[in-house]
Amino acid sequence: MPLKHHRMQLPREVLVGNGTIERIPEISRRLGFTESALIIAGSKTYDLVGKTVKKLLEDEEMEVNTFLVESATAKDVMAVEEKVKTLKPQVVIGVGGGTKIDVAKLSSAHQEVPFISVPTTASHDGIASPLSSVKGLEKPFSIMAQAPIAIIADTNVIMQAPWRFTISGCGDVIAKYTAVRDWKLAHEEKNEYYGGYAASLALMSAKLVMQNAELIKPKSEEGFRVLIEALISCGVSMSIAGSSRPCSGSEHLFSHALDMITPKHAMHGEQCGVGTIMMAYLYRANWKHIRETLKKLRAPTNAYELCVEKEDVVKALEMAATMRPERYTILNRQKLDHEACEKIAKTTEVV
Ligand SMILES: [Zn+2]
């Protein structure tokens, strides 16, 4: 049987460092966007960065419009699409943390307009991935949108975000430790496509963050760069794979389940980090090392620190395998009952 075509859509410009926002006009020009842009931001992120971006581009005589969104629902995506249809900007610029980037990415993809990612936090790998997570769609997880044509990560801005966001980003990267194992498992047992290049890139990002855990601390630009570059590499690994497979396995299913069970859940990457401890245990991998690394980063390692009920953690573990039936992971192989889930959570001291 002939092999299928494999398309990779990758970012063209990636800029990481202190004060990179100032270079938006230059990047924009290099990409051929000299006429018009539409900025998607939240009210806070607009004040923080969005208005600077607007001014910088207006100084270049570009026509720049702004549209503020406060959530990431299917309705928000549609509202932005309407704006894009009327204004016909050359590029959509998403300025913000998770939600704004997700809305900007998906709406621009639908309208076939390029998208520039300007993250204000380092809380998850969506800042560079080709996928968007939007509420109100049929699926509780990310769907394919488009890869950003450029990513402009200003450490000066990102370092000002509360520490929890950074912890969440670290957890999301460390999650690749088990996500990649799940992918390999699906390949071996279900003959699923597996890309060694994408898998290695995701796994290497997790290893780099773990090795540099001491360095990643407030006010350490060097540490933030390690994390931001790891998040971007994870995003690129998804572009190479053409799906979220290298970056989202059983530990993400656990996090998705916890989101469904309790409205008072913790941040995405915080939950994925705790999920990674338990899934690493299932793989008989070095789960204690994962836990120690998360502790070093002051990230949650148990139900109490996630501020969720112990019972909900066990329930989420039991429910995780049903979250995405097409995504084969260690959970499908083990087929855990309630008692087994409780044992796993207790042994790894998550409950
Ligand atoms: Zn994630």
Side-chain angles (χ1 to χ4, degrees):
M1 202 169 69
L3 288 168
K4 273 197 275 177
H5 293 178
H6 185 160
R7 177 168 178 249
M8 306 179 197
Q9 191 189 38
L10 300 165
R12 242 174 76 187
E13 300 276 351
V14 177
L15 204 54
V16 181
N18 197 334
T20 52
I21 291 289
E22 301 291 325
R23 291 179 61 186
I24 282 195
E26 173 200 329
I27 300 279
S28 197
R29 213 179 311 124
R30 230 183 354 240
L31 293 168
F33 310 130
T34 50
E35 311 277 326
S36 57
L38 173 63
I39 297 175
I40 306 300
S43 50
K44 273 192 214 139
T45 51
Y46 181 73
D47 285 343
L48 197 68
V49 187
K51 62 179 180 201
T52 312
V53 175
K54 187 173 185 332
K55 173 146 195 325
L56 286 165
L57 294 175
E58 277 174 348
D59 287 349
E60 303 281 307
E61 323 241 299
M62 278 175 75
E63 186 198 326
V64 187
N65 284 285
T66 310
F67 190 75
L68 301 185
V69 288
E70 298 304 340
S71 53
T73 64
K75 226 170 130 190
D76 294 303
V77 173
M78 256 148 63
V80 174
E81 280 193 57
E82 281 308 313
K83 268 279 171 232
V84 174
K85 270 189 219 160
T86 343
L87 297 166
K88 297 190 174 45
Q90 283 179 306
V91 61
V92 170
I93 305 176
V95 178
T99 52
K100 288 81 195 175
I101 301 265
D102 279 334
V103 172
K105 198 193 291 171
L106 190 59
S107 50
S108 60
H110 286 165
Q111 294 301 316
E112 296 178 1
V113 173
F115 156 70
I116 295 181
S117 172
V118 183
T120 53
T121 68
S123 57
H124 63 91
D125 58 24
I127 60 172
S129 77
L131 294 106
S132 275
S133 163
V134 171
K135 290 193 186 86
L137 300 175
E138 281 158 41
K139 295 162 185 158
F141 44 83
S142 313
I143 54 164
M144 248 336 186
Q146 67 172 335
I149 193 161
I151 302 153
I152 298 162
D154 194 329
T155 42
N156 188 29
V157 172
I158 292 170
M159 282 166 69
Q160 289 174 40
W163 184 242
R164 252 191 100 181
F165 286 82
T166 310
I167 284 175
S168 175
C170 292
D172 201 23
V173 175
I174 291 170
K176 305 344 173 198
Y177 184 88
T178 46
V180 168
R181 282 172 167 78
D182 283 325
W183 194 14
K184 191 99 196 270
L185 185 74
H187 174 63
E188 286 162 1
E189 297 193 357
K190 297 284 155 187
N191 205 21
E192 195 181 300
Y193 161 78
Y194 175 81
Y197 184 31
S200 310
L201 189 57
L203 191 59
M204 184 183 69
S205 307
K207 283 186 180 159
L208 276 173
V209 164
M210 285 164 71
Q211 280 163 9
N212 286 288
E214 308 269 359
L215 196 67
I216 304 173
K217 53 187 175 218
K219 300 201 183 91
S220 157
E221 199 199 327
E222 218 187 333
F224 268 83
R225 277 199 189 209
V226 170
L227 172 61
I228 294 166
E229 287 173 10
L231 288 168
I232 294 173
S233 300
C234 291
V236 168
S237 78
M238 288 185 257
S239 285
I240 295 171
S243 80
S244 63
R245 244 320 183 173
C247 294
S248 168
S250 47
E251 73 300 316
H252 269 67
L253 297 177
F254 163 75
S255 173
H256 295 324
L258 201 53
D259 285 347
M260 301 267 277
I261 290 168
T262 166
K264 282 195 300 179
H265 53 80
M267 290 186 76
H268 171 77
E270 292 179 315
Q271 297 183 165
C272 289
V274 173
T276 309
I277 299 174
M278 294 188 287
M279 304 312 160
Y281 169 80
L282 285 179
Y283 271 110
R284 297 175 197 215
N286 195 349
W287 62 272
K288 284 183 182 161
H289 180 53
I290 305 279
R291 194 174 63 149
E292 289 317 309
T293 309
L294 290 171
K295 280 194 171 159
K296 250 185 231 166
L297 292 158
R298 291 189 279 132
T301 57
N302 56 43
Y304 175 76
E305 287 163 358
L306 282 176
C307 296
V308 297
E309 299 297 327
K310 288 179 180 178
E311 195 45 42
D312 287 343
V313 165
V314 177
K315 231 189 273 173
L317 205 48
E318 211 181 339
M319 218 173 104
T322 64
M323 294 306 295
R324 249 188 123 154
E326 84 289 4
R327 183 146 289 187
Y328 188 82
T329 70
I330 187 83
L331 295 167
N332 300 89
R333 197 174 66 177
Q334 307 278 58
K335 294 197 182 69
L336 309 161
D337 58 15
H338 188 82
E339 210 179 319
C341 291
E342 204 164 23
K343 187 176 163 254
I344 295 158
K346 277 190 177 151
T347 312
T348 52
E349 291 172 35
V350 173
V351 304

